[in-house]
Amino acid sequence: MGNQPVGQPIGLGTGIQSTGNIRRISADAKVPVIVEAGVGTASDAAGARELGCDAVISNTGIAHARDPIKMARAMNDAGVLPELEVFDSGDIHLARDLLADGTLKGPGLLTIVMGVKYGFPSLPETVFYAKRLLPGNRACTWFGSRPLAARCPP
C-alpha cells in the first residue's frame, strides 16, 4: 500500500494510531502491506506485524533516537527494514558503511531527497548519479522541491 498516513502522519514516530484501519487493510489487501509512518520504536514495529502487516520500514524512529546506532540494532532485531533519506553523496556513503558493518540490514529503502539547501540539486541527472552510488541493487525512491515522486530508474 502506498498510503503511509494510515499508520500515523509521516515523521512523528509517535506510534501507530490507526490500528483498526491497518487491521482492515491487511485483511483485505491483495498486495503486501508495508507500514512506515508512525514507527518510533521496535515495539511499534512488532505491533504493526501483529496487525497483519507484511513488512515495516522505519526512518523517524532511528533518526530521532538518542542513540541511533542502538535504535537501528533494536529495529533490526524486530525485523524492521531501514528507510534512509539521503540528502547528499556523503549520506549515501554513510548508508553503505552502516549496511556493510551490519548496523543496518536490508534490503530496506533509500529515499534520495533533492532541492534542500546544501543538498542534492533537484535535477534528473542527480537521480542517475545518486543511483550509481547506492549499495548493490538497493530499492530507492526520490523526491525534490518540485512536485515529483517516483521509483528510481533501473
Side-chain angles (χ1 to χ4, degrees):
M1 301 289 307
N3 193 350
Q4 293 177 330
V6 167
Q8 174 73 14
I10 296 171
L12 296 180
T14 56
I16 296 171
Q17 305 297 310
S18 304
T19 57
N21 289 342
I22 292 173
R23 188 175 284 117
R24 282 188 294 281
I25 290 168
S26 295
D28 296 340
K30 305 291 187 237
V31 297
V33 175
I34 302 170
V35 166
E36 191 274 344
V39 178
T41 65
S43 61
D44 291 338
R49 296 301 297 260
E50 289 174 6
L51 293 170
C53 294
D54 297 285
V56 179
I57 297 175
S58 178
N59 175 316
T60 305
I62 296 169
H64 293 183
R66 283 189 197 140
D67 184 343
I69 302 298
K70 184 177 179 181
M71 181 61 80
R73 289 187 179 127
M75 292 288 197
N76 280 335
D77 292 346
V80 175
L81 301 173
E83 190 260 332
L84 302 173
E85 294 173 353
V86 294
F87 294 83
D88 61 30
S89 59
D91 292 344
I92 294 175
H93 291 289
L94 174 61
R96 293 174 68 102
D97 289 350
L98 293 173
L99 289 161
D101 74 11
T103 300
L104 296 176
K105 295 182 181 11
L109 175 69
L110 289 172
T111 299
I112 300 165
V113 181
M114 300 176 294
V116 176
K117 190 174 185 177
Y118 306 118
F120 282 130
S122 191
L123 300 169
E125 297 88 354
T126 301
V127 178
F128 290 102
Y129 167 71
K131 177 72 171 144
R132 283 194 307 272
L133 296 177
L134 297 180
N137 289 324
R138 185 94 21 213
C140 72
T141 59
W142 53 270
F143 67 87
S145 57
R146 298 179 201 153
L148 49 92
R151 290 176 44 96
C152 275

